[in-house]
Amino acid sequence: MLIVQKFGGTSVGDLERIQNVANRVSASVKEGNDVVVVVSAMSGETNKLVGYAQHFSKNPAAPEMDMLLSAGERVTASLLSIALQEMGHNATAMTGRKAGIVTDIHHTKARIERIDPSVMQAALKKGQIIVVAGFQGVNAEGDVTTLGRGGSDLSAVAIAGALHADLCEIYTDVSGIYTTDPRIEPKAKKLEKISYEEMLELASLGAKVLQNRSVEMAKKLNVNLVTRTSFSNEEGTLITQEENIMEAPLVSGIALDRNQARISLMGVKDRPGIASDIFNKLATAEVNVDMIIQNKAHDGATNIDFTVPVGDLNDAKEIVDGFVKDGEINADSYNEDICKVSVVGIGMRSHTGVAARAFSTMADNNININMISTSEIKVSMVIDEKYAELAVRGLHDAYELDK
Ligand code: ASP
Ligand code: MG
């Protein structure tokens, strides 16, 4: 098998851990696999470099920042390659540029445009273990670029796609994706497999494990992703195409998003184009609107409620207040003490009653549902934040996710 193994900052956090990673890579090679390793900077290293730059400037130039930050990953890649060589392996360290990673011109948040895998392929043919510095590429001008914080996951997935690897393993200090946050529900179980779509909907459960952008890229390039821990031999969670999951459970997981705020617009003028005006303004300001509900009120006006991430609330307020001033909306109000619980599962596509069971669970626990939205594989409910944990546990039980 050709495996891409990506090790995050904590997995390469000190020299002993880098040796551990070398041992693991070595074991995988001895099993007969071809291995391409992608590494992050040692944990804390990127922040340290950012701090150095800020010592000199509040607003350091992006090309210099990229040259600076890309160094963190180079350190790890070189050290790991040296450790592997010392163990008798034929290893070679590569920068993003040498690995053929070509990005657009946007320094500090570049997008990978293409990968020319020929140098890596030639190295693999020679039986070499390749150790790539993650998080970086090169733009058309020949400058080093970085892919945005956490971007070495993306490097790994893109390389796995370009090499048509059988597997892309993402090693962190978390052992996989759980049915819900184990800190809320200790009975949470680690999932063996989950589809890309479910993983994207369960983002909050994978937040510390995987970047959403990486899951999207894996889906697009059809890369089988495994998240697992580098601190034990425990199996992780496979994130793959729906077709590869034979018996999809009705529900795979319960996600909780505490980071939501609700905006209520009362007495919105009932005229064609008003929703378009409001939500286009919000979109232009890059406010991320999630759920939207519109009700008909009396007197030819309507009420509209919607949710945004707490961080976007101030921008949203400003825009909405503008409509109030112009007399297009009577009044607005805000509530930050809400959260969104979501029940996610591809099994919902072919089964009925999933949403009804979620609502009964809320009823049984005396939790009032403020807003509801559903998609083919998800039922989301906005509730008061104080019921967040009760709701998650109740739902986890209701769908028997501990079984
Ligand atoms: N070292 C970079 C960061 O800390 C990239 C990564 O770790 O994925 O954001
Ligand atoms: Mg990371």
Side-chain angles (χ1 to χ4, degrees):
M1 284 217 291
L2 172 58
I3 309 181
V4 173
Q5 299 186 325
K6 185 261 168 179
F7 294 90
T10 50
S11 302
V12 293
D14 59 32
L15 302 182
E16 197 182 318
R17 287 183 177 179
I18 292 176
Q19 183 62 56
N20 275 342
V21 167
N23 297 346
R24 191 177 272 274
V25 171
S26 173
S28 188
V29 169
K30 283 184 181 146
E31 278 167 25
N33 299 306
D34 290 324
V35 180
V36 177
V37 188
V38 176
V39 287
S40 283
M42 295 164 80
S43 59
E45 200 57 29
T46 309
N47 288 338
K48 193 173 97 190
L49 295 172
V50 170
Y52 286 169
Q54 281 167 351
H55 175 79
F56 298 104
S57 166
K58 275 209 183 75
N59 196 10
E64 274 65 25
M65 283 311 283
D66 275 352
M67 198 159 132
L68 177 67
L69 298 193
S70 61
E73 269 69 11
R74 290 184 177 212
V75 169
T76 342
S78 328
L79 293 175
L80 179 58
S81 186
I82 291 169
L84 284 164
Q85 288 164 356
E86 195 58 25
M87 295 169 80
H89 288 289
N90 185 358
T92 179
M94 293 189 188
T95 58
R97 171 207 283 263
K98 180 147 189 199
I101 300 175
V102 180
T103 73
D104 64 15
I105 54 162
H106 293 106
H107 281 290
T108 73
K109 46 178 186 299
R111 291 193 159 263
I112 298 176
E113 278 184 341
R114 64 191 159 81
I115 293 189
D116 171 3
S118 54
V119 173
M120 285 192 288
Q121 279 161 345
L124 287 171
K125 239 196 200 134
K126 283 196 275 177
Q128 290 187 302
I129 303 173
I130 305 172
V131 187
V132 184
F135 177 54
Q136 57 186 278
V138 63
N139 67 17
E141 270 139 51
D143 298 318
V144 61
T145 49
T146 62
L147 308 176
R149 295 306 302 269
S152 50
D153 287 353
L154 270 184
S155 311
V157 173
I159 287 171
L163 294 172
H164 304 290
D166 300 288
L167 208 57
C168 178
E169 295 180 323
I170 308 279
Y171 285 88
T172 67
D173 50 359
V174 184
S175 59
I177 310 295
Y178 282 76
T179 47
T180 196
D181 185 340
R183 286 169 306 181
I184 298 177
E185 173 52 274
K187 286 185 287 182
K189 279 235 150 75
K190 190 166 63 195
L191 293 158
E192 196 183 314
K193 289 182 184 179
I194 187 171
S195 69
Y196 300 121
E197 285 83 358
E198 289 168 306
M199 188 66 239
L200 289 167
E201 297 289 11
L202 289 171
S204 72
L205 296 182
K208 291 177 298 331
V209 189
L210 269 180
Q211 252 195 340
N212 249 18
R213 253 173 98 195
S214 312
V215 179
E216 273 160 17
M217 184 182 283
K219 180 178 167 204
K220 198 169 115 204
L221 302 178
N222 198 6
V223 168
N224 285 317
L225 263 186
V226 170
T227 70
R228 54 188 301 181
T229 171
S230 59
F231 299 111
S232 79
N233 281 322
E234 213 179 309
E235 301 278 335
T237 302
L238 171 67
I239 305 160
T240 186
Q241 271 186 31
E242 205 171 315
E243 291 79 61
N244 297 336
I245 300 173
M246 292 307 233
E247 275 174 75
L250 188 57
V251 166
S252 292
I254 313 291
L256 171 65
D257 184 356
R258 294 182 195 267
N259 184 33
Q260 292 278 319
R262 169 180 172 160
I263 301 180
S264 305
L265 311 179
M266 277 80 62
V268 180
K269 235 185 213 154
D270 199 10
R271 63 158 174 89
I274 180 77
S276 155
D277 288 348
I278 298 169
F279 290 101
N280 272 315
K281 270 226 165 112
L282 291 165
T284 309
E286 288 185 36
V287 171
N288 216 329
V289 175
D290 184 18
M291 286 193 205
I292 304 176
I293 293 182
Q294 173 172 336
N295 301 314
K296 191 103 190 156
H298 340 279
D299 325 324
T302 67
N303 293 335
I304 298 178
D305 278 44
F306 60 97
T307 60
V308 299
V310 171
D312 290 356
L313 186 57
N314 278 334
D315 288 345
K317 271 183 188 167
E318 211 171 283
I319 287 167
V320 166
D321 287 346
F323 282 91
V324 174
K325 234 183 246 139
D326 294 346
E328 298 258 82
I329 298 173
N330 260 339
D332 51 19
S333 72
Y334 313 94
N335 184 353
E336 287 185 56
D337 301 324
I338 57 150
C339 67
K340 182 174 76 169
V341 277
S342 303
V343 176
V344 174
I346 42 177
M348 276 181 217
R349 290 215 175 104
S350 46
H351 288 85
T352 55
V354 176
R357 201 188 305 179
F359 305 153
S360 324
T361 307
M362 295 302 110
D364 294 345
N365 286 287
N366 249 318
I367 301 172
N368 195 35
I369 307 172
N370 295 325
M371 298 169 96
I372 298 168
S373 80
T374 61
S375 78
E376 250 192 319
I377 64 163
K378 181 170 80 165
V379 179
S380 294
M381 295 168 288
V382 168
I383 60 173
D384 287 351
E385 179 147 30
K386 61 177 184 238
Y387 297 124
E389 309 204 332
L390 186 61
V392 167
R393 281 189 221 115
L395 291 166
H396 201 267
D397 269 351
Y399 298 100
E400 303 186 329
L401 294 178
D402 55 333
K403 297 277 151 65

